[in-house]
């Protein structure tokens, strides 16, 4: 009986929104203790004119808050995640597509060497030798560094006081 007590507030909110409204929950686990209870709750939202937003499932809100779209998304969630496929693996959002290698950081002497290189005091070959980087890594970091400098210059130009 204790497990049912946790979801009484959800039932009270649903009763208040009988006509229409939006209910926002953090995750699907906020709807029930097990998959069966979550499926029942999703079915309720699919059949009623109440929109359900699940914070950790962006598709429930990133396409707007129209009832037909919300019903379609909730139906897809019900069919895939809970109904038919238990072997769904979620991919972390912060992983890059080339996640096999660690990102190389700028060497500690990068700024000094970069200034010497842009002033033509040293060659690219000397720059690479002094940093200990491979040629491809050097040029990748060089491209990234130029992009960072451009973004910083635009920021300073936009927000410089005076």
């Amino acid at each position: 009986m204790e497990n049912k007590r946790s979801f009484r507030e959800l039932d009270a909110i649903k009763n208040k929104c009988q006509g229409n409204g939006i209910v926002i929950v953090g995750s699907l686990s906020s709807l029930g203790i097990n998959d069966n209870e979550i499926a029942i709750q999703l079915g309720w939202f699919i059949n009623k004119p109440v929109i359900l937003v699940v914070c950790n499932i962006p598709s429930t809100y990133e396409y707007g808050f129209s009832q037909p779209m919300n019903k379609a998304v909730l139906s897809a969630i019900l069919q895939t995640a809970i109904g038919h496929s238990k072997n769904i693996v979620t991919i972390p959002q912060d992983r890059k597509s080339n996640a096999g290698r660690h990102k190389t950081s700028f060497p500690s002497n990068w700024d000094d060497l970069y200034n010497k290189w842009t002033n033509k005091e040293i060659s690219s070959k000397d720059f690479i030798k002094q940093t200990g980087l491979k040629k491809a890594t050097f040029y990748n970091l060089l491209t990234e560094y130029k992009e960072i400098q451009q973004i910083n210059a635009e920021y300073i130009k936009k927000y410089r006081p005076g």
Side-chain angles (χ1 to χ4, degrees):
M1 199 61 176
E2 181 66 31
N3 61 357
K4 295 289 183 194
R5 192 177 313 174
S6 304
F7 298 100
R8 286 186 186 158
E9 190 65 32
L10 176 62
D11 290 334
I13 292 170
K14 286 175 16 185
N15 288 333
K16 289 180 184 177
C17 297
Q18 285 293 334
N20 60 20
I22 299 175
V23 175
I24 302 172
V25 296
S27 66
L28 286 179
S29 62
S30 300
L31 298 177
I33 291 177
N34 55 38
D35 289 349
N36 188 38
E37 289 181 15
I38 294 171
I40 291 169
Q41 295 293 349
L42 284 173
W44 187 90
F45 284 101
I46 291 168
N47 294 319
K48 300 291 182 181
V50 179
I51 295 172
L52 175 65
V53 174
V54 183
C55 293
N56 68 349
I57 303 177
S59 58
T60 60
Y61 56 84
E62 68 185 2
Y63 301 112
F65 295 110
S66 69
Q67 183 59 31
M69 179 61 77
N70 190 255
K71 282 185 180 189
V73 170
L74 294 180
S75 296
I77 292 169
L78 181 61
Q79 289 173 356
T80 58
I82 296 173
H84 301 296
S85 181
K86 296 289 184 190
N87 297 324
I88 295 176
V89 177
T90 57
I91 299 172
Q93 295 293 329
D94 59 346
R95 299 258 335 226
K96 293 184 179 181
S97 61
N98 62 347
R101 294 186 180 196
H102 296 290
K103 185 180 177 330
T104 303
S105 58
F106 293 99
S108 58
N109 58 348
W110 180 270
D111 288 328
D112 291 335
L113 292 174
Y114 182 80
N115 288 333
K116 288 179 182 178
W117 180 73
T118 54
N119 293 331
K120 307 231 186 273
E121 295 173 23
I122 61 172
S123 66
S124 297
K125 187 175 182 178
D126 293 333
F127 197 154
I128 292 169
K129 189 175 183 179
Q130 290 182 34
T131 57
L133 298 170
K134 292 183 179 180
K135 191 175 180 179
T137 305
F138 165 73
Y139 285 108
N140 288 337
L141 286 177
L142 189 61
T143 302
E144 182 180 345
Y145 192 74
K146 287 178 181 179
E147 289 173 1
I148 290 170
Q149 283 189 320
Q150 182 181 1
I151 291 169
N152 287 343
E154 290 172 3
Y155 180 82
I156 289 170
K157 184 179 175 184
K158 185 175 182 179
Y159 295 106
R160 172 174 271 156

